[in-house]
């Protein structure tokens, strides 16, 4: 069950409200890598999880993300507040949709005004795959926060965003360790093993020598188990 506590997880203050920045903050409110998406992704994964220990962790983080939603929503609303006054034309022009339809409040849209959608969520019902998704989701959220921090000069806004950004790295750590604790191999997904015949072949699908450029090599295609197959399209590897 959920219980609402009447204070924020992190106290939010804004020195200088900037409606354009408020609109950018909506990316973390109703956007693809935002807090609602995170809260729903982890909570729904938690509902699907049969392992009680990891279910508890998913529900804990899902719940914390709801608290982040409250923090980012409060911060965005403070920046959007000048849009409440339609006589403040310069502010209202920053976003007519928020000013006229939303009365200067937040709604579940991203920074471009596109509505939030459950299509943002990655829920497979396979715990290790979901945890990999979550690690990537936290990385995306972290980088969006970092860009938002770089975009504002308001030191108090920066502080709140720094807190939210930091917690995403904490979550990344939790999900990584939960994945590790499953004891699966690095490339072990599901139950059916991959075919030996194909799994270690790197298809070099570009002709890139001489005037056409140069093929790159690295640990992703050279050494170890790798077998490099040049120009597979011309080697009869396809079906009949
Ligand atoms: Mn978060
Ligand atoms: Mn997070």
């Amino acid at each position: 069950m959920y219980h609402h506590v009447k204070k924020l997880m992190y106290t939010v203050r804004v020195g200088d409200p900037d409606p354009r920045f408020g609109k950018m903050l909506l990316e973390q409110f109703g956007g693809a890598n935002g807090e609602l998406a995170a809260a729903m992704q982890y909570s729904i994964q938690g509902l699907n999880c049969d392992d009680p220990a990891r279910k508890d962790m998913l529900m804990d983080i899902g719940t914390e993300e709801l608290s982040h939603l409250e923090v980012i929503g409060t911060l965005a609303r403070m920046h959007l507040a000048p849009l409440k006054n339609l006589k403040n034309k310069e502010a209202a022009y920053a976003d007519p949709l928020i000013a006229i339809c939303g009365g200067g409040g937040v709604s579940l849209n991203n920074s471009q005004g596109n509505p939030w959608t459950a299509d943002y969520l990655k829920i497979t019902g396979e715990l290790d795959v979901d945890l990999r998704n979550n690690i990537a989701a936290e990385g995306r959220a972290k980088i969006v926060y970092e860009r938002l921090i770089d975009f504002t000069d308001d030191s108090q806004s920066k502080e709140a965003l720094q807190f939210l950004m930091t917690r995403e790295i904490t979550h990344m750590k939790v999900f990584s360790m939960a994945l590790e604790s499953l004891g699966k191999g690095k490339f072990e997904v599901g139950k059916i093993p991959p075919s030996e015949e194909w799994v270690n072949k790197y298809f070099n699908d570009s002709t890139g020598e001489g005037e056409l450029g140069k093929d790159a090599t690295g640990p992703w295609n050279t050494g170890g188990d790798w077998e490099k197959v040049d120009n597979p399209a011309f080697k009869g590897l396809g079906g009949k």
Side-chain angles (χ1 to χ4, degrees):
M1 68 181 82
Y2 292 97
H3 183 92
H4 188 253
V5 177
K6 288 180 277 296
K7 62 177 194 178
L8 291 174
M9 191 185 182
Y10 189 94
T11 308
V12 173
R13 290 187 191 89
V14 166
D16 189 17
D18 175 357
R20 286 178 308 171
F21 187 60
K23 193 183 166 191
M24 292 175 90
L25 290 173
L26 291 180
E27 196 57 41
Q28 285 304 82
F29 189 70
N33 306 306
E35 300 294 355
L36 183 69
M40 291 301 108
Q41 180 160 307
Y42 309 150
S43 300
I44 307 305
Q45 287 175 355
L47 291 181
N48 291 333
C49 186
D50 296 323
D51 167 351
R54 292 168 186 86
K55 181 193 187 100
D56 187 34
M57 175 274 291
L58 287 164
M59 297 311 283
D60 279 343
I61 300 186
T63 303
E64 180 180 341
E65 302 293 10
L66 276 181
S67 302
H68 292 184
L69 182 73
E70 200 182 16
V71 172
I72 192 73
T74 303
L75 185 66
R77 193 168 186 279
M78 284 173 166
H79 277 285
L80 294 171
L83 297 181
K84 280 181 84 82
N85 175 10
L86 289 180
K87 295 212 164 65
N88 184 349
K89 291 220 165 40
E90 200 191 319
Y93 285 144
D95 196 305
L97 181 71
I98 296 171
I100 295 164
C101 300
V106 292
S107 57
L108 284 169
N109 294 303
N110 70 7
S111 59
Q112 300 300 305
N114 298 315
W116 187 86
T117 164
D119 281 348
Y120 292 150
L121 308 185
K122 302 282 177 277
I123 300 162
T124 68
E126 189 79 10
L127 186 57
D128 60 304
V129 177
D130 281 349
L131 288 170
R132 287 170 194 267
N133 266 322
N134 298 355
I135 294 164
E138 294 293 338
R140 293 193 298 268
K142 197 274 180 185
I143 211 70
V144 175
Y145 276 126
E146 191 172 300
R147 289 171 183 160
L148 287 167
I149 288 168
D150 280 345
F151 218 88
T152 182
D153 295 324
D154 184 66
S155 62
Q156 290 168 312
S157 299
K158 276 184 193 286
E159 269 174 38
L161 294 170
Q162 175 76 29
F163 169 77
L164 293 169
M165 182 191 80
T166 300
R167 291 303 298 169
E168 310 307 13
I169 294 297
T170 309
H171 295 164
M172 188 185 245
K173 220 169 133 179
V174 174
F175 291 135
S176 299
M177 288 176 177
L179 176 62
E180 222 177 285
S181 74
L182 293 174
K184 297 197 100 177
K186 208 170 168 188
F187 306 112
E188 197 186 332
V189 174
K191 294 174 196 72
I192 303 174
S195 305
E196 286 297 328
E197 188 191 352
W198 300 106
V199 72
N200 292 320
K201 285 187 168 70
Y202 179 88
F203 290 155
N204 178 22
D205 274 305
S206 57
T207 24
E209 290 301 328
E211 273 187 6
L212 298 171
K214 190 170 165 34
D215 283 332
T217 55
W220 56 86
N221 63 11
T222 309
D225 298 334
W226 285 123
E227 183 196 334
K228 203 165 170 193
V229 182
D230 285 324
N231 308 317
F234 303 115
K235 292 204 169 140
L237 280 175
K240 295 197 171 86

